[in-house]
Amino acid sequence: MKIYFCCTDFKAEPWLAALRTALPQAEIEVWAPGAGPADYAVVWAPPQAFLDEQPQIKALFNIGAGVDALTQLKLPATTKLVRLDDAGMSVQMAEYVVHALIRHFREFDIYATDVAGGKWSFRKPRLREDFPVGIMGLGVLGQRVARAVQAFEFPVRGWSRAPKELHGVRCYAGEAQFAEFLAETKVLVCLLPLTEETRGIMNRETLSLLQPGGYVINVARGAHLVEEDLIPLIDSGHLAGAALDVFRQEPLPAGHPFWRHPKITMTPHTAARTLRDESVAQIASKIARLARGESIAGIVDPSKGY
Ligand code: NDP
Ligand code: OXD
């Protein structure tokens, strides 16, 4: 069995070592243009040339949960696209969202500024009932985040494409219930995949439907947010601020207004990192299952784009 590693932004050597240990029977190499045909590939944002040269490949294993860098390419018709499902990311995502939510809710940034200025003062306690958290995307990551937020006793709402029933979560589904979901939300968390349906889903019109004093936590993809619409909504007072991990252009260009805005906190696309050992173990187990003719989780449905 031959497997190529074709991942931009990842150092190849440690991945090759881990893959070779997990799949000792396989021949595993970094892909180079003109290389012979392989059975599988481990990929992250591969070039179109790779896909054009390898139409026989049975499955592409994306070393991330989001497959938007791949769905914008032309994939061979018979190749399965497989994403990571969890592989250690959901607990990181839960940490990130709970941290951003509680920092905002408890006004810890204001305390930090006060303390840095030598000021000893108290903020009025706020009620968590006044901070309903709405999670867009109730998949592997969204459901884990919902459980973590529930543990802190915030009201939780969720929105997905197909209707769901989740204990303790008021669930909404589809376009028909989107406005109602937003109206029931003060802290909006985006955990959607980036598809043609979800691109630009957070914009002036939709964010205006959030409860006054709304807060945005975007941990999915930068293109879910119409960036130009965010600062006017914050400066008008409708939104209290935002915590952003992802941006339309990454790294965020110097001079982008988000760098300077006091009510926007940012991290460099790090909410849930790909963990090498967990990812390799998951990919190796999926390859073994496919070889036995068994089903695997995480196959992307081309008609949905996730
Ligand atoms: P899943 O595929 O498990 O879940 C996607 C969820 O989004 C599902 O609940 C799905 O609904 C819902 N959804 C998709 N399209 C629509 C739509 N048009 N309307 C309403 N709901 C929709 O993905 P994951 O939870 O594993 O990952 C989510 C995203 O998180 C990734 O695609 C990636 O972009 C991002 N991510 C970001 C990271 C970071 O570090 N910032 C790290 C990892 C992932 P349904 O259940 O009905 O199908
Ligand atoms: C992912 C990511 O999609 O890290 O896994 O953004």
Side-chain angles (χ1 to χ4, degrees), residues 44 62-68 89 220-221 269 272-274:
W44 180 257
N62 184 52
I63 53 174
V67 290
D68 44 290
M89 282 190 282
R221 287 292 182 264
H269 197 146
R273 305 293 297 272
T274 294

Side-chain angles (χ1 to χ4, degrees), residues 45-249:
Q48 181 65 51
F50 167 71
L51 302 170
D52 293 344
E53 278 191 17
Q54 299 284 328
Q56 77 298 326
I57 253 173
K58 293 180 208 151
L60 299 169
F61 292 93
N62 184 52
I63 53 174
V67 290
D68 44 290
L70 278 150
T71 51
Q72 66 193 11
L73 300 176
K74 194 169 176 309
L75 297 176
T78 54
T79 303
K80 288 185 177 61
L81 174 53
V82 185
R83 65 191 199 85
L84 285 181
D85 55 297
D86 196 339
M89 282 190 282
S90 72
V91 68
Q92 298 178 67
M93 200 52 99
E95 284 164 358
Y96 187 100
V97 171
V98 164
H99 175 263
L101 166 67
I102 291 178
R103 187 180 63 202
H104 170 61
F105 172 65
R106 294 287 308 274
E107 303 183 277
F108 286 138
D109 286 343
I110 297 177
Y111 282 112
T113 308
D114 284 354
V115 167
K119 188 169 158 198
W120 183 274
S121 72
F122 296 96
R123 312 282 305 166
K124 200 162 169 255
R126 311 207 274 189
L127 299 176
R128 55 199 72 227
E129 303 90 272
D130 294 337
F131 284 78
V133 178
I135 302 168
M136 294 198 289
L138 292 173
V140 174
L141 303 182
Q143 289 196 28
R144 181 68 186 81
V145 167
R147 290 212 313 276
V149 170
Q150 274 179 311
F152 287 93
E153 300 177 14
F154 289 89
V156 185
R157 289 78 171 91
W159 183 68
S160 54
R161 189 173 154 119
K164 297 213 184 322
E165 277 185 33
L166 299 176
H167 181 71
V169 181
R170 197 182 292 171
C171 291
Y172 301 82
E175 256 184 72
Q177 294 184 341
F178 190 42
E180 195 186 343
F181 161 77
L182 292 170
E184 287 286 324
T185 293
K186 185 175 266 180
V187 179
L188 182 68
V189 179
C190 181
L191 271 167
L192 291 167
L194 182 64
T195 64
E196 282 322 302
E197 285 173 21
T198 64
R199 184 178 297 277
I201 194 163
M202 289 180 285
N203 54 51
R204 189 163 56 86
E205 193 187 331
T206 55
L207 295 178
S208 296
L209 298 176
L210 293 175
Q211 295 180 356
Y215 193 77
V216 172
I217 302 177
N218 188 16
V219 277
R221 287 292 182 264
H224 284 124
L225 172 69
V226 177
E227 292 185 346
E228 298 71 22
D229 290 354
L230 183 66
I231 289 179
L233 285 165
I234 296 176
D235 290 348
S236 74
H238 177 65
L239 295 181
L244 307 175
D245 182 54
V246 286
F247 305 90
R248 198 164 53 200
Q249 188 183 334

